[in-house]
Amino acid sequence: MTEGRMEKIEQQALARYQKLEQQRAMEATAAAGPEAMNVRISVINPHDSLATERIIHNSDLFPIAYLEGGLNAGKAVCRISLRNHQGQIKGYGTGFLISQSLILTNNHVVDTYDTALNAVAEFNYEDDVNFMPRTIVSFRLEPERLFITDEALDFSIIAIQEKALSGALVSDFGHLPLLPMPGKILEGEYVSIIQHPQGGPKAVTVRENEVKFLSDDFVHYVSDTEPGSSGSPVFNDQWIVAALHHAGVPDPNDPSKWIANEGIRISSILRHLEGVRGNLDAAESRLLDVLLPQAPIPDDGLLPIEVGELAADWYSDATGYDAAFLGLGKEVPLPPVRNGADVAETLDGGTKLDYTHFSIVMSRSRRLAYYSAVNIDGSQLVSVQRSNDKWYFDPRLAREFQSGPELYARNDLDRGHLTRRQDPNWGRDAVQANAHTFHFTNSAPQHKALNQKTWLSLEDYILENAAANGFKVNVFTGPVFREDDVLYRGEFRIPAEFWKVAVMAKEDGTLSATAYLLTQRDLIGDLEFAYGQFQTFQVPVALLDKLAGIDFSGLQLHDPLANLEGAGGRRIESKRDILF
């Protein structure tokens, strides 16, 4: 890269910095609002009890694990050695692994295919605790597998050799996950940079850079130190990558000094990748799968199901469904299951499983949920991207009462969320709530050919209105268990129908409880069971009481269909058909 190119980048950074400085001077305050704070807090480990205090500058205390976290994060950072065709050194930059196959750096460090082809990523170029150099491990870059670069956002993503000549694996150095949501840092927070300054041994500026300005694509952080090396990861206090460092902001009065640093927001880079993904071939696109949320395609059940189990104490702070959530001095308790003897007990003798903002009651005989119950707060919703499809067994419930891959693998059954993934994602615990929805206890088998368009539109309508109007909603969802449900693999009966009840407070302070049924039966007589066209109906709450075996008697007084003569069911084809 020429000096003229770097000078241009620095002048562009200065122009952006001065523009934001002028804008802030005209504003009364740049303090983060409640929504921004909720997004920021959603990516904090709930066990870090001091994190929020640090963000609002009431504490400088860190758990000792903070230092270990930084050491682990630094393993994925490397020096990039730039060479010509003869192998002679042309310069250095910094980069870091963002998956087991990909490395991220600046466009102005690696700007062309040929530059990448001759570059080498050097890990462990650092001193140990005795200030002795560690053994460097080198990997070549492989742009022929993937090379994506953008000059405007100043980034390059390149595939990296997975095994070095020494036999070392690049996966031994881990990688730094990239989270797509904005809001991983706030103005006034401090960030850290792990880097190879001037191509030297790995170094770190620990919490020395105060975030001055955030714009759509860039972050400006003020420091008394020299600008960090190009291509370095910029971390928040949880060692989550918030930006890609790319330039210092020169002092307009003294070009030999710096007034700030500038980085490119990770959310902007991921958004750009989503836009260019359609231009890639299948092999290239697969390399991006770990970075980008998958397109919402039906799960054909033929793909491997990644299964995990978490320690029981991971659920210790999950309060579950809150009966008093709607306020008004009225509680909406979890409805009793009429066949109480079939409710699966947890290992501690309970009758429900509490997750973040939702709870589940399980059936012993069906090994599925009788229902899930979730609180949705429309005023605090946080957009959390779907990062993977790992599903978990719940260690608090005997495995014999949970249906896992033995039900869903190698067939046409989807793992359908009962509590929708997006519904509990609000407030400070949004990320944890999102992860909690990926439990087999929250899953129900649904045939991939099931036509859920209207059903999904109904769910979207409930969530979107909660968000738009900032109100709270309780949603109960479950299957209808019938004796004639199809027996599958000799042990599972597949539900043919699903129901939902939404409870919300109306403007006059009264409750509204509306019930819905997704069915392929005609509500008049039973049809021969076959996976065909499903339809959605708004039905009296009392009908679900009979069909699902759930005692909803406490909600029937708030049902708009309760007093309509002959109300057996209203076909729902759009939101206009819903009666509140």
Side-chain angles (χ1 to χ4, degrees):
M1 183 195 62
T2 65
E3 290 186 9
R5 169 80 194 284
M6 193 67 234
E7 183 178 354
K8 179 181 177 181
I9 291 174
E10 292 169 351
Q11 290 303 314
Q12 289 172 338
L14 174 60
R16 284 187 287 264
Y17 182 87
Q18 290 176 324
K19 180 179 179 180
L20 289 167
E21 194 171 41
Q22 293 171 357
Q23 289 176 349
R24 289 296 185 268
M26 298 174 63
E27 295 174 359
T29 178
E35 182 179 358
M37 181 62 78
N38 283 331
V39 175
R40 175 66 184 94
I41 293 173
S42 73
V43 297
I44 293 174
N45 188 311
H47 297 292
D48 186 354
S49 59
L50 297 171
T52 303
E53 295 298 309
R54 290 197 301 274
I55 290 173
I56 59 178
H57 306 299
N58 286 342
S59 173
D60 286 320
L61 295 175
F62 287 80
I64 193 66
Y66 171 79
L67 300 177
E68 183 180 359
L71 188 62
N72 290 335
K75 293 176 183 178
V77 180
C78 65
R79 181 176 74 167
I80 297 180
S81 177
L82 303 170
R83 309 181 183 191
N84 61 21
H85 292 289
Q86 287 76 42
Q88 298 169 322
I89 300 295
K90 296 168 52 182
Y92 298 100
T94 301
F96 55 99
L97 290 166
I98 54 176
S99 77
Q100 294 184 6
S101 304
L102 301 176
I103 198 166
L104 175 62
T105 187
N106 289 135
N107 165 272
H108 77 255
V109 173
V110 180
D111 59 347
T112 67
Y113 181 98
D114 285 344
T115 301
L117 201 60
N118 294 301
V120 176
E122 299 171 334
F123 292 84
N124 275 354
Y125 182 47
E126 58 190 82
D127 294 337
D128 64 17
V129 69
N130 296 313
F131 298 99
M132 295 297 292
R134 297 185 188 276
T135 302
I136 298 174
V137 183
S138 299
F139 297 85
R140 287 199 171 276
L141 303 186
E142 296 182 336
E144 65 275 14
R145 293 174 56 210
L146 182 71
F147 179 69
I148 300 175
T149 191
D150 183 74
E151 184 174 337
L153 288 178
D154 195 17
F155 79 88
S156 292
I157 291 178
I158 315 113
I160 189 171
Q161 183 183 21
E162 295 182 0
K163 187 174 184 180
L165 291 177
S166 65
L169 300 176
V170 74
S171 58
D172 293 340
F173 297 92
H175 69 277
L176 301 174
L178 303 185
L179 302 185
M181 77 285 283
K184 293 178 284 293
I185 50 175
L186 300 175
E187 291 181 3
E189 273 198 88
Y190 294 89
V191 293
S192 300
I193 305 173
I194 299 178
Q195 55 194 284
H196 284 278
Q198 309 302 324
K202 189 182 297 175
V204 57
T205 59
V206 181
R207 215 169 182 263
E208 282 297 316
N209 302 276
E210 181 182 358
V211 176
K212 189 72 171 178
F213 305 126
L214 291 170
S215 61
D216 289 343
D217 296 324
F218 297 94
V219 183
H220 292 97
Y221 30 99
V222 179
S223 172
D224 293 332
T225 62
E226 293 183 0
S229 296
S230 297
S232 303
V234 180
F235 299 94
N236 65 14
D237 276 351
Q238 287 69 50
W239 296 108
I240 294 170
V241 184
L244 171 67
H245 176 78
H246 86 127
V249 179
D251 186 333
N253 300 316
D254 185 351
S256 66
K257 296 181 180 180
W258 310 92
I259 58 174
N261 289 321
E262 184 180 72
I264 302 100
R265 298 180 71 161
I266 292 300
S267 53
S268 296
I269 292 173
L270 292 178
R271 188 166 56 246
H272 180 90
L273 290 178
E274 190 67 67
V276 303
R277 188 175 189 174
N279 301 325
L280 306 178
D281 62 31
E284 292 172 326
S285 183
R286 280 195 296 272
L287 288 174
L288 292 184
D289 284 349
V290 70
L291 304 181
L292 302 175
Q294 294 295 305
I297 57 175
D299 177 5
D300 62 8
L302 304 177
L303 299 175
I305 300 174
E306 190 177 1
V307 177
E309 183 171 304
L310 301 164
D313 61 3
W314 197 70
Y315 306 84
S316 59
D317 56 351
T319 55
Y321 173 84
D322 179 5
F325 180 70
L326 296 182
L328 305 176
K330 302 174 183 177
E331 291 198 349
V332 182
L334 294 176
V337 175
R338 294 202 178 276
N339 182 11
D342 189 47
V343 172
E345 284 192 0
T346 60
L347 296 183
D348 63 0
T351 57
K352 63 184 175 72
L353 294 164
D354 288 332
Y355 300 96
T356 303
H357 302 151
F358 68 101
S359 298
I360 287 175
V361 176
M362 295 290 293
S363 163
R364 294 170 56 94
S365 61
R366 299 298 286 261
R367 300 170 61 184
L368 299 171
Y370 266 112
Y371 66 83
S372 70
V374 61
N375 304 127
I376 305 174
D377 189 337
S379 66
Q380 299 189 66
L381 286 171
V382 174
S383 176
V384 180
Q385 295 291 338
R386 181 172 184 157
S387 57
N388 61 57
D389 255 338
K390 188 176 211 176
W391 285 76
Y392 297 95
F393 286 104
D394 194 316
R396 301 170 297 172
L397 181 70
R399 185 71 65 88
E400 64 186 285
F401 301 138
Q402 303 178 63
S403 299
E406 66 274 14
L407 169 58
Y408 297 102
R410 301 182 307 280
N411 56 33
D412 290 334
L413 292 175
D414 289 348
R415 299 182 295 280
H417 283 69
L418 292 177
T419 284
R420 283 216 312 173
R421 185 183 68 81
Q422 303 95 322
D423 286 356
N425 298 349
W426 52 269
R428 299 181 176 184
D429 303 320
V431 171
Q432 179 172 288
N434 177 75
H436 278 182
T437 65
F438 286 88
H439 278 78
F440 286 114
T441 51
N442 188 42
S443 176
Q446 298 175 345
H447 193 276
K448 71 174 186 179
L450 181 151
N451 183 346
Q452 298 186 72
K453 182 176 180 181
T454 305
W455 185 252
L456 292 174
S457 296
L458 169 66
E459 293 180 321
D460 289 339
Y461 179 67
I462 294 172
L463 185 64
E464 289 168 3
N465 273 271
N469 298 294
F471 58 63
K472 298 179 177 180
V473 188
N474 294 335
V475 177
F476 303 89
T477 307
V480 175
F481 293 148
R482 294 180 181 265
E483 292 184 1
D484 63 349
D485 285 336
V486 167
L487 182 65
Y488 178 64
R489 292 182 174 172
E491 57 178 323
F492 304 104
R493 291 197 177 276
I494 309 301
E497 298 168 299
F498 295 88
W499 57 267
K500 189 178 296 291
V501 174
V503 185
M504 64 191 75
K506 296 191 294 186
E507 291 183 357
D508 62 3
T510 62
L511 294 181
S512 171
T514 53
Y516 309 91
L517 184 68
L518 175 70
T519 182
Q520 61 180 3
R521 303 172 189 267
D522 62 4
L523 297 182
I524 299 174
D526 291 344
L527 303 176
E528 180 180 354
F529 184 89
Y531 282 111
Q533 182 73 26
F534 276 63
Q535 300 175 70
T536 299
F537 293 84
Q538 182 176 355
V539 299
V541 172
L543 178 59
L544 287 192
D545 194 303
K546 297 177 182 178
L547 290 178
I550 309 295
D551 184 358
F552 281 118
S553 58
L555 294 178
Q556 292 179 28
L557 293 175
H558 310 292
D559 180 7
L561 295 188
N563 299 318
L564 294 183
E565 185 175 350
R570 297 164 55 90
R571 188 190 303 272
I572 303 298
E573 295 180 351
S574 74
K575 61 186 180 183
R576 294 185 297 272
D577 300 321
I578 300 174
L579 181 63
F580 289 103

